[in-house]
Amino acid sequence: MSERLLVCVGWPYANYFLHVGQAAGAYIPADIFVRYERLAGNEVVMVSGSDCHGTPITVTAEREGISPRDVVDRYHPKILETWEKLGITSWSIYTTTLTENHYATTQEIFLRLLERGYLEKRTADQLYDPEAERFLPDRYVEGTCPHCGYKEARGDQCDNCGKTLDAVELIEPRSRFTGATPVLRSSEHYFLMLTKFQDQLGEWLAKQTHWRRNVLNFSLGWITEGLQDRAITRDISWGVPVPVEGWDAKRIYVWFDAVIGYLSATREWAQNKGEPDDWKRFWLDPAAKQYYFIGKDNIPFHTIIWPAMLMGHGEYELPYEVAANQYVNFSAGQKQSKSKGTGTWVLELLERYSADTVRFYLTQIMPETADSEFREEELIRANNDILIATWGNLANRVISMIHRNFDGVVPATGELSPESVALIGDARATFATAGAEFHACHFRSGLQESLKLAQLANRYLDDRAPWKAVKTDREHAAETLATALNVINALKVLLHPVLPFSTAELHEDMALEGSIEDGGWAYAPVPGGTRLGGPRPLYVKIDTTAQAAGPA
RNA sequence: GGCAGGGUAGCUCAGCUGGUCAGAGCGCACGACUCAUAAUCGUGAGGUUCGAGGGUUCGAGCCCCUCCCCUGCUACCA
């Protein structure tokens, strides 16, 4: 019984390189999930794209003296390159928010909500920079803190005393763009009437007991505090135009259009393959489950705002799972942040380490329940002492022995001994346990299950010592090596979601027909008589002595 | 300030609804083995008992209260 899944992954802003936190928090887990679910025989559509609107883009554009469009043209390809090199290649579609289809879909949702009474116009006073001729977000206003007198306080918060501020409270306020003194000017905006969804959202959230505790508690906290209507337009010129007469000077708020991206991307996917209505199977059918992979900062947008928009629209299904991860912190206790310029970029890391090494380590420290810490020494240790020692070496020692003693041809076996039967039973069982963990979005423990099997196989080899047996009892050795190879073949599949590159190489070496994907999530023995390639090391050991001088 | 998550062996972390819950991996020590990328396998030391202090209970990392520390969010930066 196959399931139909829509996997939605948070849209990265196309304003910089991707950092390790984003990879470990959203993209690698989503990729593992999709690879597993497809192996398990489920139909999966995976969508995302580069978010090309929003303040981060315009800020970068101003800083670099180029247009927002130029920023996107510069960084979107870098993101695509990152996917390619890191093996995040399960996308059904990876698009951008600049497509005609996305603009049309966003405006369609906007008008639908307007028509159904879930959007309202309101006027509010906002700070305005008369020199730059633009309204100022709170963070773009600086001044003296009314509480502690700190002169560099930002409009939303004072970094010195930590108090939350309202930009109009600042003493001697100035615009961060021009230094001009902001003036109050009234501005009209559309608001999403979240208050109208208070009860409906509360009831819906209460039923999501399968969600991670922090995701659920955080969302329920918003409900308990009471939702507030939220402005979904901005006084800017970069973004999706407001589809209402006389609103040419404003644009739709980036978060409103970004979440709609999941829907518009699914439509684009369907168009691309020539079945323009196929997206409906994922949005209109309750049998299809939506999974969202995001960082924890995006939780409210996916558990409150987007569901409210969908409820307001009235026809589409709501999220099934919101697998929000915590953050990956860095040695100095600094958070990984684009704006502060700290941290390790994925592309940079991939210049020094193989994609599978990076994926392996990031899966091990995946911040599923709590923030975790990235340390380059630990990455090296995980590669050398676990990935290679437990798994890479297992494959290598067995294939080497088959080459040395059986000319590289997998020996046929007769009746198996109890130890071999037991080990194969363990391999079969691991498909069930690791699969269940992956399906539940527990990627660390899913990986652990496979590593346990590798350890059992190593133990089995030591117990049966085929290198010794081959001299006295060739059939005993043949059984051992064939069995071990079968378990390695199982591990190749079990580890494929996490380690797609090296398991594909191993698959080639086994000279089996088709791809790993064709085989599915199940134990399958390697036929006796198969001629193996290799042996070759699947992973490169990292020299720790030479590494010391490298940048952190 | 408010809200959320976290503080468990040297390190990174598991511990679901309270009763083998004091654990895993790495590191370390010792032993075995030598097929393998000096990899593997076994054994063991290590936590003054799970941030501090109270409390509930027959029984608490797991529940309640207070305090300390770390991280994030606080609605216009992942």
Side-chain angles (χ1 to χ4, degrees):
Chain A
M1 45 148 229
S2 133
E3 284 194 275
R4 199 184 320 145
L5 308 173
L6 178 66
V7 173
C8 303
V9 195
W11 294 50
Y13 280 122
N15 76 323
Y16 213 73
F17 300 100
L18 280 154
H19 57 66
V20 169
Q22 289 170 292
Y27 303 105
I28 292 176
D31 189 67
I32 293 173
F33 182 76
V34 172
R35 286 177 189 275
Y36 161 70
E37 295 294 345
R38 285 185 179 150
L39 277 168
N42 294 318
E43 182 186 8
V44 184
V45 166
M46 181 187 189
V47 303
S48 187
S50 294
D51 188 345
C52 304
H53 298 135
T55 333
I57 307 285
T58 54
V59 168
T60 303
E62 277 152 25
R63 190 179 57 224
E64 302 191 8
I66 55 179
S67 73
R69 182 77 210 209
D70 291 338
V71 172
V72 171
D73 289 343
R74 184 176 298 177
Y75 292 110
H76 177 64
K78 286 292 173 190
I79 294 175
L80 294 178
E81 185 186 341
T82 306
W83 299 152
E84 198 59 36
K85 289 187 173 162
L86 190 58
I88 311 291
T89 48
S90 309
W91 307 113
S92 303
I93 180 169
Y94 185 84
T95 180
T96 75
T97 54
L98 292 181
T99 65
E100 253 179 63
N101 163 66
H102 178 69
Y103 274 49
T105 303
T106 301
Q107 295 181 334
E108 174 193 318
I109 301 287
F110 183 97
L111 289 172
R112 168 101 176 179
L113 291 172
L114 183 61
E115 190 183 291
R116 304 191 78 199
Y118 295 120
L119 299 185
E120 281 183 14
K121 269 189 281 192
R122 285 187 198 167
T123 301
D125 285 340
Q126 283 189 352
L127 290 170
Y128 182 86
D129 180 335
E131 278 181 37
E133 297 184 338
R134 56 182 292 177
F135 283 93
L136 297 169
D138 285 350
R139 293 205 178 201
Y140 284 35
V141 184
E142 292 172 338
T144 303
C145 173
H147 302 284
C148 70
Y150 181 61
K151 291 200 188 314
E152 307 293 323
R154 287 175 298 145
D156 57 340
Q157 185 173 36
C158 173
D159 280 337
N160 188 47
C161 66
K163 287 216 167 79
T164 307
L165 305 174
D166 195 324
V168 294
E169 293 179 298
L170 288 173
I171 299 163
E172 294 178 8
R174 57 186 184 277
S175 162
R176 234 175 81 185
F177 292 117
T178 61
T181 304
V183 295
L184 273 179
R185 183 180 283 202
S186 72
S187 178
E188 190 172 41
H189 286 292
Y190 277 100
F191 280 68
L192 175 63
M193 307 300 290
L194 286 175
T195 46
K196 293 193 176 180
F197 298 100
Q198 170 86 27
D199 295 341
Q200 203 182 340
L201 276 172
E203 284 166 25
W204 176 69
L205 284 171
K207 285 187 290 189
Q208 309 307 317
T209 50
H210 56 289
W211 285 10
R212 292 179 185 175
R213 195 174 18 170
N214 60 318
V215 177
L216 190 55
N217 286 350
F218 187 88
S219 308
L220 287 171
W222 272 44
I223 300 290
T224 308
E225 280 179 41
L227 296 177
Q228 291 175 31
D229 299 328
R230 183 175 170 125
I232 57 156
T233 52
R234 295 286 184 273
D235 291 288
I236 50 175
S237 57
W238 179 244
V240 180
V242 182
V244 175
E245 191 111 357
W247 282 67
D248 300 345
K250 312 198 188 220
R251 292 293 181 273
I252 291 174
Y253 169 47
V254 61
W255 262 109
F256 188 85
D257 90 77
V259 288
I260 291 172
Y262 300 123
L263 173 65
S264 63
T266 315
R267 290 182 175 179
E268 189 182 340
W269 161 78
Q271 279 160 15
N272 289 349
K273 65 173 192 150
E275 298 175 65
D277 282 335
D278 206 40
W279 63 273
K280 292 179 178 168
R281 293 193 303 125
F282 293 87
W283 287 93
L284 298 174
D285 183 352
K289 288 180 179 167
Q290 297 173 15
Y291 281 75
Y292 291 80
F293 290 87
I294 57 170
K296 65 175 163 183
D297 54 316
N298 288 348
I299 291 173
F301 295 105
H302 292 80
T303 63
I304 303 281
I305 295 172
W306 179 227
M309 288 163 66
L310 290 166
M311 285 173 178
H313 181 279
E315 286 182 356
Y316 300 144
E317 291 302 312
L318 301 177
Y320 171 76
E321 173 67 284
V322 180
N325 274 328
Q326 308 286 313
Y327 284 123
V328 175
N329 293 313
F330 287 74
S331 312
Q334 290 172 315
K335 71 166 175 169
Q336 180 74 35
S337 162
K338 283 186 204 171
S339 50
K340 290 183 184 168
T342 62
T344 306
W345 310 114
V346 176
L347 283 176
E348 210 176 80
L349 208 56
L350 288 172
E351 282 170 18
R352 277 173 290 161
Y353 306 109
S354 75
D356 278 358
T357 292
V358 171
R359 291 174 65 112
F360 180 77
Y361 175 62
L362 291 183
T363 301
Q364 286 221 314
I365 64 161
M366 204 164 270
E368 290 171 355
T369 55
D371 288 357
S372 66
E373 197 166 339
F374 178 97
R375 287 186 172 186
E376 199 153 349
E377 319 89 76
E378 291 297 321
L379 179 150
I380 293 169
R381 202 170 290 177
N383 179 74
N384 291 354
D385 298 338
I386 304 175
L387 182 62
I388 293 179
T390 303
W391 160 237
N393 179 57
L394 170 67
N396 196 232
R397 69 195 291 210
V398 170
I399 293 173
S400 295
M401 276 190 276
I402 291 177
H403 271 281
R404 175 161 316 169
N405 300 303
F406 295 90
D407 292 325
V409 176
V410 180
T413 55
E415 185 135 345
L416 295 183
S417 64
E419 301 106 272
S420 301
V421 171
L423 183 65
I424 288 170
D426 290 329
R428 288 184 191 278
T430 304
F431 279 97
T433 54
E437 294 294 348
F438 283 155
H439 187 64
C441 299
H442 299 158
F443 302 108
R444 302 163 72 129
S445 59
L447 174 57
Q448 281 315 311
E449 291 296 327
S450 296
L451 290 176
K452 265 188 228 165
L453 177 62
Q455 191 171 27
L456 289 176
N458 275 319
R459 189 178 300 164
Y460 166 86
L461 285 173
D462 276 39
D463 287 347
R464 293 185 51 103
W467 52 89
K468 214 180 281 179
V470 76
K471 295 170 191 157
T472 55
D473 183 349
R474 218 174 142 73
E475 280 194 23
H476 186 278
E479 178 196 329
T480 305
L481 292 176
T483 300
L485 188 74
N486 284 335
V487 172
I488 288 165
N489 195 40
L491 281 163
K492 175 196 77 185
V493 178
L494 289 162
L495 292 168
H496 186 253
V498 178
L499 308 170
F501 293 100
S502 52
T503 50
E505 285 174 18
L506 181 60
H507 186 75
E508 272 174 37
D509 291 350
M510 294 205 175
L512 296 170
E513 284 176 20
S515 66
I516 294 178
E517 285 79 5
D518 299 334
W521 190 256
Y523 174 81
V526 180
T530 302
R531 180 170 292 277
L532 302 177
R536 59 173 164 170
L538 294 173
Y539 310 96
V540 180
K541 193 140 192 166
I542 301 161
D543 183 351
T544 47
T545 53
Q547 193 54 43

